[in-house]
Amino acid sequence: MIRVVKLFCLLLMASATMAQQVQIIPEPTSIVMKEGKYMLPAKPVIIISSNELKPSASFLQNYLSTYYAVKAKISLGKPVQGAIVLLLDKTASSPAEGYTLQVTNGGITATASTDAGIFYAVQSIIQLLPAGGVASLSNGIPALQIVDAPAYKYRGMHLDVSRHFFSVEYVKQFIDYLALHKINRFHWHLTDDQGWRIELKKYPGLTKAGAHRNGTIVGRYPGKGSDNQPYGGYYTQAQIKEVVAYAQARYITVVPEIEMPGHASAAIAAYPWLSCFPKEKTVIPENMIATKTKEAQAAGALKFTQETFGVFDDVFCAGKDSTFRFLEDVLKEVVPLFPSKVIHVGGDECPKGNWKRCPACQARIKQMGLKDEHELQSYFIKRMEKVLEAHGKSLMGWDEILEGGLAPNAMVMSWRGEKGGITAANEGHYVVMTPNSHFYFDHKQRQKEDSVTIGGYSPLEKVYSYNPTPAAIDVDKRHFILGAQANLWTEYIGNPAKVEYMLFPRMAALSEVLWTKPEQKNWDAFKAKLPTQEQRYTLWKIHFSKDVVNEPLK
Ligand code: TNX
């Protein structure tokens, strides 16, 4: 008996060490180790069975060249011995984004029923490569078979480019990081109080005035005065198209966000008539305002792009028809730039003070038979939903859009915890979970961070522990949970190094929440894979946060 147990233990240990040879994040559905290994030839050939697989093959080709100095050739046609073969088989039974992967001494074969599936197979191939770069290639790739498919359809990551602006070049790099983590939605937060970042041909003021501010507070709110540094930037429509195409080639849908009715200071700075009170000054507290703004206000100028962070009273006027005409025009120009079926209109944190004292808003409430300002917000969003639907799009908004009644087909992003998402799903609305308790990557991941953050504490293990489908959702409504997303708000994140410090390795944990089947998630196994993931981050020259695995949960 003892001998049998011993043998069993030995076998277990052997399979554990073999499994350790492959450390894929997010963890695939199944990995079966086989005898042998595949040695990457000096000049590998990537065979594709159809042209639809070009983007996947190019991604791999690029990767091999950038990180291993290996020049691979792509060729369309029949499998050959020793090659990496990408096979699209529309009759295969693999689920939409799923794939199978076979590694033998004689080559690698990826099969999927969709081109997206092949792209994810490529991401796994990339993680089968020894993570130590060129020198480690001689270790080879262990023979195995992988069968894999994602747990959730909507696997999102957000970036706020309003509070701080990031170049097209960096946004593309960011998108590459998402692809490497099998994330398929990029939520691009393009407008907010501190800057309007997308060119609109009909309203050039939005980028002329709205994309710039005269200064930014120094340090964490309430800060230590203004840095008095003019700050700005925006994307031209041509650049937006370039980013969208870049993402598309990586099977990532760009979901743009145009904020309304709150977080509108930048638009109002450009066009004061969008405010309930065009003649009132933008309120920037005395100890945070840039000298230039102060002087301009003294000389009679009124509206400014915000220079500090938080929630501001000056919002889009919901009483005047001109506001709706403006927003209809904006959406009309935005829609054709983004193939995404979903357009995000914000809807969060809209103080109702101005609407309460605005005669036009009060008249609208009366005329439409609304109960209060919350119903006015709901009226606002419902009106926008009609506009988007007329363009063939669906509306998504933060969970405040539940207040005063949800628009009929609206999708909800639940950020103030899970409550909004649970209510919306139980009412039959599609939901993406982004609870700030777990998925706000602007929150600290170390108890002692060495730079300013917005606050909150979401260590790696907490991110990892999240389940996007809470038990409180009725069983027959659970399919309304499309997935989840992490958000990176950039009030205190002003450069790519800090972006990466906040994102990594938490994005690795996020990817298992989104991709790996919940019953297969395992914190200890994930922890064991982390050193290899960090080796990859080093290879990719990512500035990641180190030694975060043992941070306490609270
Ligand atoms: C809340 S999340 C916001 C953002 C801030 C963020 C900071 C949401 C819909 N609104 O405007 O940047 O908190 O964590």
Side-chain angles (χ1 to χ4, degrees), residues 474-530:
D474 304 337
V475 177
D476 64 328
K477 297 285 178 5
R478 294 202 177 149
H479 65 281
F480 285 113
I481 301 291
L482 294 177
Q485 171 177 294
N487 298 333
L488 195 70
W489 301 100
T490 58
E491 284 94 336
Y492 303 108
I493 303 175
N495 57 66
K498 179 101 185 252
V499 166
E500 291 168 10
Y501 179 83
M502 301 307 281
L503 283 183
F504 302 105
R506 286 188 288 195
M507 196 192 282
L510 170 73
S511 79
E512 292 216 351
V513 172
L514 299 170
W515 181 281
T516 305
K517 310 271 183 306
E519 60 276 16
Q520 265 186 282
K521 269 174 61 197
N522 180 324
W523 168 244
D524 289 326
F526 175 79
K527 249 166 94 165
K529 292 187 290 185
L530 207 56

Side-chain angles (χ1 to χ4, degrees), residues 37-83:
K37 55 165 88 155
Y38 170 64
M39 303 305 297
L40 196 70
K43 290 203 172 114
V45 182
I46 304 170
I47 308 253
I48 50 175
S49 66
S50 94
N51 272 323
E52 287 159 79
L53 305 184
K54 260 247 172 88
S56 296
S58 301
F59 193 94
L60 181 57
Q61 185 187 42
N62 251 326
Y63 190 89
L64 288 171
S65 142
T66 309
Y67 299 112
Y68 293 91
V70 166
K71 302 279 172 223
K73 198 182 120 206
I74 300 174
S75 109
L76 178 70
K78 297 252 171 301
V80 295
Q81 187 67 9

Side-chain angles (χ1 to χ4, degrees), residues 163 263 348-349 398 415 440 442 454 489 491:
R163 276 59 178 268
H263 289 291
D348 61 308
E349 301 179 323
W398 301 108
W415 75 276
Y440 268 40
D442 54 337
I454 200 147
W489 301 100
E491 284 94 336

Side-chain angles (χ1 to χ4, degrees), residues 189-263:
H189 185 78
L190 287 163
T191 75
D192 213 305
D193 297 297
Q194 296 78 6
W196 181 285
R197 308 280 178 225
I198 173 171
E199 176 195 27
L200 269 283
K201 307 270 190 211
K202 185 150 185 183
Y203 297 101
L206 287 172
T207 42
K208 198 156 173 261
H212 304 278
R213 58 178 183 254
N214 289 330
T216 307
I217 61 161
V218 177
R220 187 159 183 259
Y221 189 94
K224 301 182 193 76
S226 171
D227 67 4
N228 283 302
Q229 298 294 314
Y231 186 89
Y234 67 91
Y235 310 104
T236 64
Q237 292 194 0
Q239 287 173 321
I240 297 266
K241 285 186 197 155
E242 188 185 324
V243 168
V244 166
Y246 190 87
Q248 235 171 357
R250 286 151 184 78
Y251 296 85
I252 292 172
T253 305
V254 181
V255 178
E257 180 181 350
I258 307 293
E259 271 269 22
M260 62 188 81
H263 289 291

Side-chain angles (χ1 to χ4, degrees), residues 52-56 59 97 115-117 119-120 123 171-172 175-176 178-179 183-186 188 239-255 335-341 393:
E52 287 159 79
L53 305 184
K54 260 247 172 88
S56 296
F59 193 94
E97 295 174 294
D115 48 336
F119 186 73
Y120 297 120
Q123 300 318 314
V171 170
K172 285 182 177 173
I175 286 171
D176 275 331
L178 305 197
I183 286 170
N184 67 355
R185 295 288 190 288
F186 170 44
W188 207 0
Q239 287 173 321
I240 297 266
K241 285 186 197 155
E242 188 185 324
V243 168
V244 166
Y246 190 87
Q248 235 171 357
R250 286 151 184 78
Y251 296 85
I252 292 172
T253 305
V254 181
V255 178
V335 159
L337 298 172
F338 298 93
S340 169
K341 282 221 168 62
K393 302 286 185 183

